[in-house]
Amino acid sequence: MGIGIAPAKTILFGEHAVVYGEPGIAIPLWEITTTASFQPFRDSDRKRDFHIHSPMIGLDADFSDIPVNLPLKKLIIRLMNLLHLTEPPAKILQIESTIPIASGLGSGAACSVAVIRAFFDEYHSNFDDAEISSIAFEIEKSYHGSPSGLDNTTISFGKPVYFQKGKGFEILKLDSKLNLIVADTGIQSVTSAVVQDVRNHYEQNQAFIRAIGIIAEKARPAVEKGDVQEIGQLMNENHDYLKKINVSCYELDLAVETARKHGAIGAKLTGAGRGGNFIALAEKPSDMIEIKKSLVHIGAKIIL
Ligand code: PMV
């Protein structure tokens, strides 16, 4: 049975600015994952055509009935070409996920990477992380026109990365585990729309985008060393600039302020913004209880 697993990701620094060549820092979240696996049809199943069952995107259909403009269909056609398959496998592709969708945690890229890995496992093909990442990147482009590549890189390699579009990336070694809370406003937001809006106001945003890049540059050694005070301070500054480029919203601002008031050293939105998730950093694990309690109180859902 071919199987593929991919983690979620959270962007610690640099979302949006990373689209314009500024550096970004992201880490995988292995506590929440997407799993794709090939299952045989049961004897009781009437159908024998390649079938996809993905409750996360509300898909339960034969492959032939799925419209060609759906990114998942494009991905599978690409994989069949790569693997020289003339026919799709007569199996069920089951896709299960604990990653909230359209919420800034990379659910789309995680779905792609899990499916790619499941196909390569099913057909005993050896593809490395870089090849998996580049296939996932092609599909990211069909989700939103100008992705930076940060999502697919972090999720394919499954490690913390310092990433710069057009220049490549480096895997970061973190000295210590961050006491990071990830929580959801419950508001779904469409990455492509937010990215496009930032682009439409590029002239006004340009200086802020550079400022976000400088924050990510400064944050890198702090993240590697686990300098919580410096990371927290820079997270707060990063959130302020994200507000300035107009990708925050009332709920995200309330959430980061609440987290800070209840002991977080730093807090910011993560991902595209205008809803979705945010992150809060605590100095010690014991501080996390109070912060989480305050976030639940304002209606946020704790993811991690
Ligand atoms: O919301 P997500 O998980 O798709 O993250 C988007 C991150 C952006 O920087 C806004 C876009 C990108 O392509 O890097």
Side-chain angles (χ1 to χ4, degrees):
M1 177 184 90
I3 184 163
I5 301 175
K9 64 93 228 255
T10 183
I11 299 177
L12 297 181
F13 294 100
E15 49 272 272
H16 287 290
V18 76
V19 172
Y20 301 92
E22 298 293 345
I25 300 176
I27 58 170
L29 301 172
W30 277 103
E31 295 86 347
I32 43 175
T33 53
T34 298
T35 303
S37 60
F38 283 98
Q39 312 276 346
F41 285 103
R42 285 159 308 187
D43 286 344
S44 54
D45 290 328
R46 241 177 346 103
K47 295 217 164 186
R48 289 288 182 274
D49 290 339
F50 181 35
H51 191 88
I52 299 178
H53 185 227
S54 172
M56 66 186 270
I57 51 170
L59 187 69
D60 188 15
D62 280 350
F63 183 66
S64 52
D65 294 336
I66 298 172
V68 276
N69 58 355
L70 202 81
L72 182 59
K73 177 110 173 191
K74 287 188 194 165
L75 172 61
I76 292 172
I77 293 171
R78 175 85 179 88
L79 291 170
M80 285 174 58
N81 287 335
L82 249 174
L83 294 165
H84 308 292
L85 303 179
T86 46
E87 275 189 37
K91 289 193 177 173
I92 301 170
L93 180 64
Q94 176 84 28
I95 307 170
E96 279 157 328
S97 184
T98 51
I99 308 173
I101 62 166
S103 306
L105 299 181
S107 62
C111 178
S112 295
V113 171
V115 169
I116 298 166
R117 289 198 187 283
F119 263 84
F120 290 160
D121 191 34
E122 177 78 9
Y123 292 96
H124 311 291
S125 289
N126 279 328
F127 282 83
D128 63 21
D129 293 340
E131 285 161 312
I132 290 170
S133 183
S134 95
I135 302 166
F137 184 58
E138 286 172 35
I139 302 307
E140 283 288 282
K141 287 189 205 155
S142 42
Y143 282 109
H144 73 99
S146 57
S148 62
L150 177 57
D151 276 28
N152 53 282
T153 303
T154 312
I155 289 170
S156 299
F157 285 82
K159 303 229 164 73
V161 298
Y162 182 85
F163 175 93
Q164 205 162 0
K165 189 177 179 178
K167 290 203 179 150
F169 70 97
E170 285 166 75
I171 289 176
L172 297 180
K173 272 217 160 104
L174 310 196
D175 279 357
S176 49
K177 191 175 181 311
L178 299 172
N179 299 312
L180 204 63
I181 294 163
V182 181
D184 198 341
T185 58
I187 303 165
Q188 292 197 341
S189 109
V190 181
T191 300
S192 56
V194 191
V195 169
Q196 186 55 48
D197 202 32
V198 173
R199 187 174 297 284
N200 292 344
H201 299 90
Y202 182 73
E203 292 288 301
Q204 295 109 282
N205 290 334
Q206 204 173 4
F208 302 139
I209 284 171
R210 182 73 268 268
I212 293 173
I214 293 169
I215 290 173
E217 283 162 11
K218 275 202 212 157
R220 179 185 175 155
V223 169
E224 286 173 310
K225 277 189 297 200
D227 182 345
V228 179
Q229 298 299 332
E230 175 78 352
I231 300 169
Q233 170 66 30
L234 291 168
M235 280 169 69
N236 291 337
E237 287 175 25
N238 195 161
H239 185 79
D240 283 344
Y241 281 111
L242 290 165
K243 270 165 86 166
K244 290 189 173 137
I245 63 168
N246 195 27
V247 298
S248 192
C249 62
Y250 169 79
E251 290 80 359
L252 282 168
D253 292 343
L254 175 68
V256 299
E257 272 155 36
T258 303
R260 289 171 196 155
K261 224 188 282 165
H262 289 83
I265 308 288
K268 65 180 274 293
L269 70 84
T270 188
R274 301 237 177 109
N277 278 265
F278 56 94
I279 52 177
L281 183 69
E283 190 175 7
K284 310 182 289 299
S286 56
D287 296 342
M288 294 167 90
I289 301 160
E290 188 57 35
I291 302 168
K292 286 185 184 178
K293 237 200 267 171
S294 72
L295 294 173
V296 169
H297 189 71
I298 58 156
K301 183 175 174 209
I302 307 300
I303 303 294
L304 281 181

